């Protein structure tokens, strides 16, 4: 893409992150759903960026339940996925299939309100440009739902010397190649498509869900407030409106 890149610059000076702790994933997801629904109430045309994985799954189930009600919140909601695996031979395990199943179908998001990646495009750099253009036209993202990767990644913005600002083809870290979503894939993806770190930071509001096993150390690193490219999620300390919801167990093991 030839984008400029972000370099790590050490300690954060503006620590604005609203951190809340929950006894379990259910309580965390209920709070997350309340945040999403409150924002949708204020802005029915909300552009929602959706992560995949296990962290937001229960949140999406709660939204799907809300979507079944007669006067649904979601008639004008727009959805853009955060990322996508490259090289899956079937749709099983893809972020597209996940978001279709969890959000698009139950919330009846029409085609013109969904801005998904095509990981099978012949020219993936052009595909990134296409998504970036959609983001320019539709964006900025109003509410960006994120999960915390075990290695601190956001989307497929993996730990690196320099982080890419915008939509790009990413080389997946070994840990990401072991993600449960692609556990049964015959060929494990080594690359992915993802929005960039600046695209995420340009969102008006960010909802970070910290949930799941194997995240004690990375959660500790995030909570330290020190910004480093070794843990891309720490860049969220530069955002002015992050709601960070954390499962209690993770904190107990991290401190
Ligand atoms: C993968 C997904 C991301 C997700 C992250 C964390 O990289 N493509 O969208 O946010 O993993 O997943 P989990 O919540 O399962 O830990």
């Amino acid at each position: 893409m030839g984008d400029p890149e972000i370099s790590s610059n050490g300690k954060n000076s503006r620590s604005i992150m609203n951190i809340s702790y929950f006894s379990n994933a259910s309580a965390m997801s209920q709070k997350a759903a309340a945040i999403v629904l409150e924002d949708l109430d204020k802005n029915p045309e909300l552009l929602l960026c959706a992560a995949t994985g296990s962290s937001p799954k229960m949140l999406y189930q709660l939204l799907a339940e809300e979507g079944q009600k007669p006067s649904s919140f979601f008639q004008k909601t727009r959805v853009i996925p955060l990322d996508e695996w490259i090289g899956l031979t079937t749709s099983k395990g893809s972020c597209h299939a996940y978001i279709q199943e969890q959000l698009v179908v139950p919330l009846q998001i029409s085609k013109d309100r969904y801005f998904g990646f095509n990981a099978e495009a012949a020219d993936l750099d052009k595909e990134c440009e296409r998504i970036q253009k959609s983001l320019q036209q539709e964006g900025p993202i109003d509410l960006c739902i994120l999960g915390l990767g075990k290695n601190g990644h956001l989307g497929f913005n993996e730990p690196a010397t320099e982080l890419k600002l915008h939509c790009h083809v990413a080389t997946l870290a070994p840990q990401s190649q072991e993600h449960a979503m692609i556990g049964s894939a015959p060929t494990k993806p080594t690359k992915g498509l993802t929005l960039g770190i600046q695209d995420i930071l340009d969102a008006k509001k960010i909802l970070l869900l910290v949930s799941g096993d194997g995240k004690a150390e990375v959660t500790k690193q995030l909570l330290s407030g020190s910004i480093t490219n070794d843990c891309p999620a720490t860049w969220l300390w530069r955002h002015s409106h992050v709601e960070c919801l954390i499962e209690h167990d993770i904190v107990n093991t991290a401190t």
Side-chain angles (χ1 to χ4, degrees):
M1 293 276 292
D3 290 323
E5 294 168 323
I6 288 182
S7 292
S8 182
N9 73 343
K11 272 277 179 190
N12 161 55
S13 54
R14 270 177 47 201
S15 304
I16 306 168
M17 194 183 292
N18 194 15
I19 301 170
S20 311
Y21 301 96
F22 297 86
S23 52
N24 53 48
S26 171
M28 184 192 77
S29 304
Q30 280 172 31
K31 174 63 182 175
I35 290 171
V36 176
L37 294 175
E38 194 185 320
D39 282 12
L40 273 167
D41 196 31
K42 288 186 206 143
N43 175 15
E45 293 179 13
L46 190 107
L47 179 61
L48 191 76
C49 176
T52 57
S54 63
S55 306
K57 208 159 191 174
M58 212 180 288
L59 159 64
Y60 296 156
Q61 280 162 6
L62 292 168
L63 295 180
E65 281 169 25
E66 199 61 43
Q68 300 315 306
K69 296 185 181 167
S71 59
S72 166
F73 277 100
F74 307 103
Q75 283 160 9
K76 294 181 180 168
T77 312
R78 296 165 296 148
V79 175
I80 184 163
L82 175 65
D83 51 13
E84 183 59 279
W85 309 99
I86 294 173
L88 289 174
T89 45
T90 69
S91 67
K92 197 165 173 280
S94 73
C95 298
H96 174 75
Y98 174 112
I99 291 173
Q100 288 291 318
E101 191 186 317
Q102 303 291 326
L103 286 176
V104 171
V105 172
L107 305 185
Q108 297 179 42
I109 306 291
S110 52
K111 276 187 182 164
D112 59 320
R113 291 184 284 128
Y114 176 70
F115 307 95
F117 291 98
N118 175 12
E120 290 172 9
D123 185 333
L124 289 169
D125 287 333
K126 280 218 170 81
E127 178 59 9
C128 290
E129 285 168 20
R130 186 185 70 80
I131 292 291
Q132 201 69 47
K133 206 168 162 197
S134 297
L135 193 54
Q136 268 159 18
Q137 283 165 354
E138 301 289 325
I141 293 161
D142 293 296
L143 181 59
C144 187
I145 298 171
L146 300 173
L148 176 66
K150 285 181 184 173
N151 63 353
H153 75 199
L154 294 177
F156 289 134
N157 294 282
E158 304 282 18
T161 313
E162 293 179 320
L163 303 180
K164 302 267 187 192
L165 297 184
H166 297 300
C167 186
H168 61 280
V169 175
T171 299
L172 304 182
Q175 226 168 352
S176 304
Q177 296 177 33
E178 298 304 319
H179 194 281
M181 277 181 83
I182 50 166
S184 59
T187 313
K188 291 277 168 71
T190 57
K191 289 187 181 293
L193 293 163
T194 185
L195 300 189
I197 200 79
Q198 190 66 56
D199 298 326
I200 293 171
L201 292 174
D202 283 344
K204 291 183 190 164
K205 183 168 166 182
I206 291 173
L207 178 53
L208 174 66
L209 303 176
V210 181
S211 168
D213 295 336
K215 297 186 183 174
E217 284 311 312
V218 80
T219 303
K220 196 173 170 184
Q221 194 172 6
L222 172 67
L223 295 180
S224 76
S226 188
I227 296 175
T228 166
N229 286 350
D230 290 341
C231 178
T234 58
W235 278 96
L236 296 180
W237 286 103
R238 279 295 166 87
H239 195 276
S240 60
H241 198 173
V242 178
E243 292 287 342
C244 175
L245 311 190
I246 304 179
E247 237 192 282
H248 195 241
D249 281 356
I250 289 178
V251 184
N252 279 342
T253 46
T255 51

